Amino acid sequence: MLTPHAEYLRLGVSDGERQKNYRAMFDAHTDNALLNDIQLSLNRGLVLGTDRFKDQVEINLGRRARPGFAGRPAQK
């Protein structure tokens, strides 16, 4: 038996009103640059956010959460 989710029911009194309000949630345009950043982060398994947020994620996970430097390490 299927029942509508409570959050969906809060979108309106009638089916038509709920459907209209649900569709309106997806009307916002997302900037292509942001979409590219999201896709790149997902593909590389990296964190998307501010440097402060990335620092905190790296501390909590104990691993890198942002891209490293390309190439071999410099010799000392």
Side-chain angles (χ1 to χ4, degrees):
M1 184 176 283
L2 299 175
T3 59
H5 193 278
E7 289 297 317
Y8 178 71
L9 293 175
R10 287 191 197 113
L11 291 175
V13 178
S14 69
D15 284 342
E17 184 180 5
R18 285 190 290 269
Q19 291 168 5
K20 183 183 96 177
N21 290 333
Y22 183 81
R23 286 186 186 108
M25 292 191 313
F26 302 97
D27 284 343
H29 175 72
T30 303
D31 182 32
N32 281 338
L34 176 58
L35 290 175
N36 288 336
D37 289 345
I38 292 169
Q39 184 177 24
L40 187 64
S41 294
L42 286 171
N43 288 342
R44 293 183 176 176
L46 302 174
V47 173
L48 181 64
T50 63
D51 284 337
R52 181 176 174 211
F53 177 72
K54 291 174 185 178
D55 291 341
Q56 197 62 45
V57 169
E58 288 177 343
I59 290 168
N60 290 339
L61 295 179
R63 69 174 189 89
R64 184 183 300 268
R66 61 186 102 206
F69 297 102
R72 298 175 67 180
Q75 292 184 356
K76 295 181 182 183

